[in-house]
Amino acid sequence: MNETMVTLVGNAATAVEFRETATGGMARFRFAVTPRRRDRETQLWTDGPTSFYTVWAWRTLAANLAGSVAIGEPLLVQGRLKVREEEREGGRRTFVDVEAVAVGHDLSRGTAAFRRVVRTEPALTASGRSGADGASEDDSAASRALREAAAERAAVS
C-alpha cells in the first residue's frame, strides 16, 4: 500500500493529550506550520498562512510525547498523512491528520537533552497479571516515565 509520508516543521499548538488504551498509550496534539518567505520589495521576512494538523501517536511514542512536548515548542514531525472529510454543523469539513512515526525538537531553534526510556518486560503471574493489585508493569513503566517527566518540568519551572 502506498502511503504519503510527510515531514513537517512547526510548533506544538496545543498540549499533548495522553490516554491509556487496551493496546497501549495514545496521544494527540495540534501542530501549527507557518511558511516564511523573504519579501524582495521590503527586504523583510513575511509569514504565510498557518496550516494546522492533528498529530496522532501510539504506544511508546505517545508516552514519550506526553512527557516531552509543551505548547509552543518547535518540533519536527514525520509520519503518514491522512485526510478525512466529515459532515459537521450542516457543512462538509476537511481534517488533515498525521499518524506520527517520529517526533523531535527542532534543534535549529533551541537545545534539548535526550533521556532514554528503559523498557521492561512485565513478569506475569499465573493469572496473567503482575503485582498484588493487578496493575501491569508495562503500565507502571509508562506511568512512571510520565510522572518523572512532569516532576522534572515542575522542578525547572
Side-chain angles (χ1 to χ4, degrees):
M1 174 179 183
N2 291 330
E3 297 177 324
T4 304
M5 297 296 288
V6 295
T7 300
L8 303 173
V9 178
N11 296 297
T14 64
V16 176
E17 297 175 34
F18 178 80
R19 280 186 285 215
E20 285 290 342
T21 66
T23 59
M26 183 277 302
R28 73 174 178 194
F29 67 97
R30 297 284 286 162
F31 190 63
V33 176
T34 304
R36 298 200 73 188
R37 66 175 183 81
R38 182 87 170 163
D39 185 336
R40 290 184 183 179
E41 292 177 14
T42 64
Q43 296 300 312
L44 298 172
W45 287 96
T46 59
D47 289 341
T50 300
S51 298
F52 289 91
Y53 303 87
T54 300
V55 177
W56 297 86
W58 306 96
R59 294 174 285 287
T60 303
L61 178 57
N64 292 343
L65 273 173
S68 302
V69 173
I71 296 173
E73 291 184 344
L75 303 172
L76 286 87
V77 173
Q78 182 181 26
R80 293 173 200 85
L81 187 67
K82 309 280 184 177
V83 178
R84 58 189 167 87
E85 291 186 10
E86 293 180 10
E87 289 286 334
R88 284 202 183 170
E89 300 169 8
R92 194 153 190 80
R93 300 212 32 204
T94 302
F95 298 91
V96 183
D97 300 335
V98 177
E99 188 176 312
V101 172
V103 178
H105 285 96
D106 184 351
L107 297 181
S108 70
R109 296 173 53 201
T111 62
F114 181 78
R115 291 177 311 277
R116 185 175 301 279
V117 175
V118 178
R119 292 186 187 175
T120 60
E121 291 294 322
L124 299 176
T125 63
S127 68
R129 296 179 174 217
S130 55
D133 63 353
S136 139
E137 285 186 30
D138 189 38
D139 176 48
S140 65
S143 298
R144 188 171 44 252
L146 289 173
R147 282 192 304 274
E148 290 171 2
E152 285 181 29
R153 284 188 181 271
V156 171
S157 298

